[in-house]
């Protein structure tokens, strides 16, 4: 689903000197929206109304608020915070809407503030309070101060995130090990939901162990936070220095860049997948098993005749007409699972014994990425030195940034695959049955692309392994 945003423009008193007419604001905002991959639902334009004077109603600003509340738009793009809200009252109404729903988008061309993050909202309050009280030079100074601290790689204050000790500089060894273990699970195919349940049970994820619940997106953030590999973020994005390289914080790291990128790649890939696939698979061979007659995917089904204590099977693999199959093939589940697990483990042990780990390969596109990053840095510098306009910058930047992000994702995938292969061989020794179901399935899929279940004759009771056909890679 493409997100729809409002572009909000307004002339303010000091715009004339900057040549920032409504048309240029709009153009820059629209480019920014395009760059983020958002659709502009509508341009909201208040003409010549000062957001600074009390009791001046801005009809289009009011409309932005009500359209956000009604869900007609998913976010707002403005030139800067000044144009959107100069009164604390207006800002608070906007912030309420962002607090209410976490997924709302926000961006300004000057990138002075980001209301979609908690830090950004705090920042916005400070800026508006200052702009409202006196000149907005003061707020710019504060903003510069914050940015200055960030550029030096200093922590932003506040409580230390999970994984670090008080002060945020030294690693909390125990918590860090929990984070790394969870990341390994994630790489191995375990879903965040499964890890979250496990962490909640063990009281992990909070500096002080307790009963607090961890939200899904919170855990995701803990496992993918750029801070883990030392990257300093500013308003929710990785801060780059003048050379276009990430600013490195002055705290101890928990991940190498490669490890961190691999984890991010897994999360991104999963989000891109069809969400309907994210339903929990309860049975080992669901979606791996296929009907030997019609080749449709087979899923596990609870055996309705099973009761506690009875000898009936707990579940079966059944070709189902509902899923577009022939409905003619079915098999009691447990013996099929046992048979396949036995085969796969034997094969993987044999392979592990026979092959040494590959020598460390270099990612082949390292220099291409460096070149793209250098181009981005050069353009950004040129805009800062006013050798080119922001509008030109925004015309040239999207393609380069897209390419850079593609390459980074590719590097992440490369690292992910290497680490998955390594962790796979480490896991074969573990007790297969004690692994989470997704992990078990990943191990199966590493050896097999499918398992065909062929029809058994009528009245045949005994499990016949010759009718179960593993399809090896
Ligand atoms: Zn079938």
């Amino acid at each position: 689903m493409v997100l729809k945003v409002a572009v909000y423009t307004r002339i303010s008193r000091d715009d004339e000197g900057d040549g920032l007419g409504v048309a240029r604001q709009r153009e820059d905002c629209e480019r920014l929206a395009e760059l983020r991959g958002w659709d502009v639902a509508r341009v909201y334009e208040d003409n010549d109304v000062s957001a600074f004077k009390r009791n001046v109603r801005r009809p289009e600003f009011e409309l932005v608020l009500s359209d956000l509340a009604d869900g007609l738009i998913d976010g707002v793009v403005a030139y800067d915070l000044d144009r959107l809200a100069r009164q604390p009252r207006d800002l608070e109404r906007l912030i309420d809407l962002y607090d209410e729903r976490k997924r709302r988008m926000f961006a300004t061309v000057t990138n002075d503030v980001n209301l979609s993050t908690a830090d950004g909202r705090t920042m916005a309050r400070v800026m508006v309070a200052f702009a409202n009280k006196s000149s907005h030079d003061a707020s710019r100074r504060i903003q510069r101060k914050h940015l200055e601290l960030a550029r030096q790689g200093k922590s932003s204050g506040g409580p230390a995130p999970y994984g670090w000790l008080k002060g945020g500089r030294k690693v909390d060894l125990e918590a860090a090990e929990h984070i790394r273990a969870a990341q390994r699970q994630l790489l191995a195919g375990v879903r965040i939901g499964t890890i979250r349940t496990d962490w909640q049970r063990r009281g992990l994820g909070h500096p002080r162990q307790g009963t607090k619940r961890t939200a899904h997106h919170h855990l995701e953030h803990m496992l993918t936070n750029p801070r883990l590999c030392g990257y300093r973020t500013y308003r929710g994005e990785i801060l780059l220095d003048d050379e276009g390289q990430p600013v490195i914080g002055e705290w101890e790291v928990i991940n190498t860049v490669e490890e961190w990128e691999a984890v991010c790649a897994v999360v991104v890939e999963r989000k891109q997948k069809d969400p309907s696939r994210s339903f929990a698979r309860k049975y080992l061979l669901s979606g791996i098993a296929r009907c030997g007659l019609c080749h449709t995917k087979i899923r596990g089904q609870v055996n309705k005749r099973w009761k506690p204590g009875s000898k009936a099977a707990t579940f079966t693999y059944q070709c189902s007409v509902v899923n577009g199959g022939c409905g003619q093939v079915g098999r009691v589940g447990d013996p099929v699972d046992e048979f396949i697990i036995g085969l796969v483990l034997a094969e993987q042990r044999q392979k592990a014994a026979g092959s040494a780990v590959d020598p460390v390969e270099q990612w082949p596109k390292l220099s291409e990425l460096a070149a793209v990053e250098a181009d981005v840095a050069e353009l950004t510098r040129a805009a800062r030195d006013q050798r080119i306009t922001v509008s030109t910058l925004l015309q040239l930047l999207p393609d380069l940034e897209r390419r850079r992000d593609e390459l980074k994702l590719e590097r992440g995938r490369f690292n992910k695959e290497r680490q998955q292969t390594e962790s796979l061989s480490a896991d074969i020794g573990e007790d297969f049955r004690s692994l989470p179901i997704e992990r078990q399935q990943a191990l199966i899929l590493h050896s097999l692309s499918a398992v065909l279940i062929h029809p058994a004759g009528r009245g045949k009771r005994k499990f016949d392994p010759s009718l179960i056909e593993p399809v090896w890679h």
Side-chain angles (χ1 to χ4, degrees), residues 291-296 298 319-320 325-329:
C291 172
L293 281 183
C294 69
H295 299 110
T296 305
I298 286 183
C319 178
S320 157
C326 65
Q328 298 196 41
V329 173

Side-chain angles (χ1 to χ4, degrees), residues 52-164:
F52 192 61
K53 282 185 198 138
R54 279 174 181 275
N55 306 323
V56 172
R57 265 182 70 83
R58 291 182 291 149
E60 291 286 280
F61 176 75
E62 297 298 324
L63 207 54
V64 168
L65 293 181
S66 64
D67 283 357
L68 259 183
D70 295 342
L72 296 176
I73 46 176
D74 306 301
V76 183
V77 176
Y79 193 83
D80 58 20
L81 184 63
D82 263 3
R83 279 166 192 73
L84 197 57
R86 268 189 169 180
Q87 284 291 330
R89 203 178 29 179
D90 286 346
L91 178 68
E92 289 308 320
R93 290 164 70 204
L94 198 56
I95 283 180
D96 279 348
L97 290 167
Y98 276 85
D99 274 340
E100 175 189 301
R101 193 131 57 77
K102 300 293 175 211
R103 289 271 163 222
R104 292 201 160 110
M105 304 296 135
F106 187 86
T108 62
V109 172
T110 58
N111 197 25
D112 57 349
V113 81
N114 185 357
L115 293 185
S116 65
T117 68
D119 280 355
R121 291 194 280 271
T122 309
M123 195 63 221
R125 286 187 171 114
V126 173
M127 286 165 66
V128 168
F130 268 90
N132 201 249
K133 208 168 165 191
S134 51
S135 68
H136 63 254
D137 281 354
S139 83
R140 295 241 162 94
R141 270 203 301 278
I142 295 229
Q143 194 191 326
R144 267 201 296 271
K145 182 75 191 155
H146 263 253
L147 186 59
E148 196 43 46
L149 285 177
R151 285 184 165 248
Q152 290 164 11
K154 292 214 176 7
S155 215
S156 53
Y162 184 68
W164 284 270

